[in-house]
Amino acid sequence: MTHAHASEARRRSALLRLSTGIAAARDEREVCQSVVDGLHDRDLGYDFVGVFLLDLKTGDRVMQASVGWDGTHDGYRIRAGEGLSERPLKDKEVHYTPRVKAEAGHVLAAANGSELDLPLIVDDEVIGVIVVEGAEEDAFHREDLEILTAAARQASLAIGRVRLIEQERRRAEEQTALMDTMRDLSGELKLEKLLEALLQRAVRLLGVTGGELAIFDEEREELVIVAGHEMGANAVGTRMAIGEGAMGHVARTKEPLVIPDYQEWAGRSEQYTQDTVQSVVAAPLMIGSRLVGVIAAVHADPGHAFDGEDLRLLDLFAPQAAVAIENAHLFTAEHRRALEQQALLDTLADMAGELELSVVLQDLLVRAADLLDVTGGELAIHNQETGELRIAASHQMGSDAVGTTMARGEGAMGRVAETMESLVIPNYLEWVGRAETYTDGSVQTVMAAPLMIGSRLVGVLALVHSEPDRAFGAEDLGLLKLFATQAAIAVENARLFTEGRHRQQYFEDLVKNNPVAIVTMDLDFDVTACNPAFEALFGWKEEEVLGKNLDRLVNTPESLDEASAYTEETLRGTVIRGIGKRARRDNTLVDVEFAGVPVTVDGEQVGIMGLYHDITELLRAQEEAQAANQAKSSFLANMSHELRTPLNAILGYSEMLIEEAEDHGDEHYIRDLEKIVSSGRHLLALINDVLDLSKVEAGKTEVYLERFAVQEVVDAVSTTIRPLVDAQGNTLVIECPESPGVMHSDLTKVRQMLLNLLSNAGKFTDHGTITLTVSPTHEEDGEWITFHVRDTGIGMTPDQLEKIFEAFAQAEASTTRRFGGTGLGLAITRRFSQMLGGDVTAASVPGEGSTFSLRLPVESS
């Protein structure tokens, strides 16, 4: 091997050692040292080598390793703007200076030699520079440039690799810290302890001297410091307004904040002295867009500067802290709800086992006071009739006010009863509406809620506290309302229980003592109960009929099918009624009026109630009455001739005597004879009415159908009735269409009915108006004519209207005495109208008049 070949082999070995050393380096400093050691190898011969890395914050080049330069050391800095080695930082190129004495900016050892500056580039960013100097001018050749460029490239790759490894290691540590934090979150739900542990982890990971964590009080819109670490003074519990200090500023902007010099910051808080806080970084704790708190890290070293990496790390902890706060809030709320629910369940259990109102309400009041941690309270029920409140339960109020009544508007509970709205009184002794009963200092704060069932007030629940600094919040009021709801239910249940017990006893006594036989059945028609009247009527004992089919029990084979059909009707929700014969236990028959009533509960039919009334005596009496009435009617109808003939004779002789008296000039006899004629005619009219009604009731009145013009009937009736109308000073008005048509009916009865109605109107009207209106109508069931007789007379009350169509009845006794008559005219009119297929109705207003409507078919059959 020649000398040249041996020299080349040694150089390649040196380069291999350089590459191996760089590849084996574990961190940036080892990489830099490997570069220096490798280039200083005796087979490469570079005696002045330095590796500098860029300080991104200051722009300085900081020496990491060197050889051959006296007066330098690791950490030696070349300031920004100084030295030839700054040129590669600007253009990322290799710079060669053959004669450094010609360059004013040279700062290193070889003042008369040459210098080669090679950039270290990672991810296209210059991170440092390798500086190699020679003692002589123009000491470097192309071969040196290749060796040194390759060394710079290898160093750049190695530094990028170790930085990436360091970054991954740091991220792994962050993830481990976050995992530890999450583990703590899952194992600890007490807010203060959890946030204190989380803050300590953040402080350690960021490498700062201290920190604080605050939560946001939405109700008061303030920050409350809940955790602090190495802050000089313990500020836990301190409240800050939004915008106050660093954390208050972050709470307002909801953006992270870095303060390099806190003591010079215009918004600083005076409680943090120069010794504890120099630089600050703070971040908001957010759940979505909602602020839940702020976390802040501080450093006491004035030279410490927070950068983007610190802010990134803090942002990692901020979501975890937000989740911790939210989870703790949820846990606290759920825990409280669980206690509330348990208290409510206990209350409901007590109410289920106790229906004595005073006991239930006292227990409920005690539970409410204990759960809300107050001194005591009162519960009052509302009297619906008087509107007053009566205190039904009292707990630790100094004096027992149970039984005391108060008016609406009186005191706190009276005010709630008046407004039906909840009420919170922070300072009761200064409240203008306070009751004088509570002035001894036992009542400082008050909270009261109405007890409502729907929109109906049943009472008021009030809780009090004796400490003036106890403030009732929305959660307290919400819990009170829960108890108010249960108290309202308790009051209502106790009331319903008492009413139900009384009602049940009432109905049991009613059924037991009822003279009507009552039996209840299930949906299979089997007997479930019966009363003593049923036992007496049918001869069965209750225990003998239970579970038996009622229809088969009380029916004969002949009546069974009909009775079963009735029972089936009740299954369809129909109330059935009827009259028939039913069998007793001894097989004798009894006449009964029966009813079947479906029994429905909450819209569902659950059974049937049967009612049986013995009508044997009633039927016998009815038959006897009908026979007597028939005999009376027949007698009066048959006596028609015997009654009218002598009366007509009296009238005839009286009229003859009047004529003779007039011929002989015996004027003093004429007046007496006219009275005989007038009384006789009146008596004849009464007899005619009685006979007409009797003939109708006896079935001896016949209908003679003929065709006649309605207009002719109206004209004839108006002519006949006008003298009577005029005698009372009344006006007769006829309202009839030009062609009202033709009727096929009984002309005599139609005329008589109209005369009855018009004469009746004229009798009870004085100096008024009587109107006859004729209204032809076409309806689904045929053609009809309605005659309306309207007067402006004395009118009638609703009670009087109910009796006017009864035979021998007028509106009242005084009417008969004043106006006379038998009271048969309207009864005969209704009977005639019904015989012709129509009817007559009446409407009236006392003092304003009456209207009678006679509705008849155009074609009577």
Side-chain angles (χ1 to χ4, degrees), residues 516-521 534 550 594-597 599 608-612:
V516 175
I518 301 175
V519 60
T520 58
M521 297 165 281
F534 181 89
L550 180 67
F594 58 83
V597 181
V599 179
I608 303 168
M609 179 181 289
L611 297 93
Y612 296 90

Side-chain angles (χ1 to χ4, degrees), residues 90-112:
K90 297 178 179 180
D91 58 14
K92 303 178 184 178
E93 299 292 335
V94 176
H95 286 267
Y96 176 46
T97 305
R99 291 175 292 277
V100 296
K101 66 180 180 180
E103 301 293 337
H106 181 255
V107 295
L108 292 177
N112 295 315

Side-chain angles (χ1 to χ4, degrees), residues 192-249:
E192 294 80 3
K193 291 184 178 180
L194 184 145
L195 295 185
E196 188 175 325
L198 190 146
L199 181 62
Q200 289 176 1
R201 290 183 186 279
V203 167
R204 286 199 301 270
L205 191 62
L206 285 165
V208 293
T209 56
E212 286 182 338
L213 197 151
I215 61 175
F216 179 54
D217 185 339
E218 293 185 10
E219 188 173 340
R220 298 175 62 173
E221 294 189 346
E222 293 177 336
L223 289 175
V224 183
I225 298 177
V226 294
H229 181 71
E230 299 294 337
M231 291 296 293
N234 183 13
V236 172
T238 303
R239 289 183 172 269
M240 295 180 291
I242 301 302
E244 179 185 349
M247 288 196 289
H249 178 83

Side-chain angles (χ1 to χ4, degrees), residues 825-843:
L826 292 178
I828 292 172
T829 300
R830 168 160 283 184
R831 300 292 180 88
F832 282 177
S833 67
Q834 292 173 346
M835 289 175 64
L836 296 176
D839 202 359
V840 62
T841 57

Side-chain angles (χ1 to χ4, degrees), residues 356-366 377-383 388-395 397 400-406 413 438 451 458-462 487 490-491 494:
E356 183 63 37
L357 182 60
S358 59
V359 176
V360 172
L361 296 187
Q362 187 66 36
D363 288 347
L364 190 145
L365 180 61
V366 172
E378 288 180 339
L379 196 153
I381 59 177
H382 179 237
N383 188 315
E388 293 180 328
L389 293 173
R390 182 179 62 83
I391 297 176
S394 178
H395 177 60
M397 292 295 292
D400 187 3
V402 173
T404 303
T405 60
M406 63 188 85
M413 289 197 290
Y438 308 107
L451 314 182
V458 298
V460 177
L461 174 61
V491 172

Side-chain angles (χ1 to χ4, degrees), residues 774-792:
V774 183
S775 303
T777 57
H778 175 74
E779 301 178 20
E780 292 183 0
D781 54 352
E783 302 289 337
W784 295 80
I785 294 284
T786 303
F787 301 92
H788 300 282
V789 177
R790 185 172 64 254
D791 65 62
T792 58

